[in-house]
Amino acid sequence: LIQKFSLEGLGEAAARLDSKKLDFYNAKRLREMPEPEYLAEAETRLPPGGEAPWRMKLAKAVRGNLERLADVPAVSAYFFEEPGYESAELEKLRAKAETKPLLEDLALELEKIQPFENAPVEALCRELPTRRGLKFKDLVHPARFALSGRPAGPGFFDVVTLRGREKCVQRLRNFVGLL
C-alpha cells in the first residue's frame, strides 16, 4: 500500500467541510434507510404524545422533509403544539380576499366528511376551490399554513388526516380569526 501511495494529484488547498453537501447526503441516506430502522430512530425523536400507530404514521409522513434525524422534533412540532405564524406570510394571506371564506368553507366541510381519511379529504380539497372559480393551490397553501404555521411540509392530506378532524377544524377557525 505504501509503495502505491503518491502525493501527485493532491492539491495544496486545505480540506474543507461542505455542510450543504453533507446535509444532502444525509437526507439521501435517511430516504434510503430501511423503513424499520428509520422508524425506530425517528420515533425516539418525536415529541411525547399520541398512540404508537399514529406516531409511526407521523414518522413516515415527515421522512421526506428531513435532512438529519435531529430535525424530527422541529419538523413534527406542530402536530404536538399550536403553530406560530410568521407575520409576513400572514399578511400575504390577509391580502387575498378569497382566503378567509375558503378556509371557513373548508372547516365546515371537514366537520361533515366521512370517513376522515386521505381519499375523501383529497376529493373535498380538490373540489372545494372550484366552487369559487379557484384552483387547488388557492386552498392548499393557506390551509397548510393555518394547520402548521409553515409553507411546506409533509403531504397536505397526511397533515390533515394525521392532525385529525377536530384539531383541523379548530385550527382553521382560529386562523380565520387572525385574518
Side-chain angles (χ1 to χ4, degrees), residues 57-122:
K57 287 179 186 177
L58 177 57
K60 287 179 187 179
V62 301
R63 187 176 191 173
N65 300 97
L66 300 174
E67 288 184 337
R68 297 174 298 280
L69 280 168
D71 296 339
V72 170
V75 170
S76 62
Y78 60 88
F79 286 97
F80 298 92
E81 58 193 39
E82 292 301 313
Y85 300 111
E86 180 187 313
S87 60
E89 189 64 29
L90 190 55
E91 290 306 316
K92 284 182 199 174
L93 294 174
R94 279 184 180 135
K96 295 181 179 181
E98 69 272 7
T99 300
K100 189 172 183 175
L102 197 54
L103 293 180
E104 288 171 334
D105 288 352
L106 180 59
L108 284 171
E109 294 291 335
L110 287 176
E111 282 183 317
K112 299 183 245 177
I113 199 165
Q114 292 294 339
F116 197 78
E117 297 171 353
N118 279 25
V121 168
E122 180 176 356

Side-chain angles (χ1 to χ4, degrees), residues 115-159:
F116 197 78
E117 297 171 353
N118 279 25
V121 168
E122 180 176 356
L124 167 68
C125 291
R126 293 197 181 279
E127 187 266 334
L128 187 62
T130 63
R131 295 180 199 168
R132 295 177 174 275
L134 301 169
K135 296 180 181 180
F136 173 67
K137 68 178 182 84
D138 297 322
L139 170 73
V140 74
H141 177 69
R144 175 189 296 282
F145 189 72
L147 296 175
S148 68
R150 299 176 184 189
F156 176 69
F157 308 114
D158 289 332
V159 170

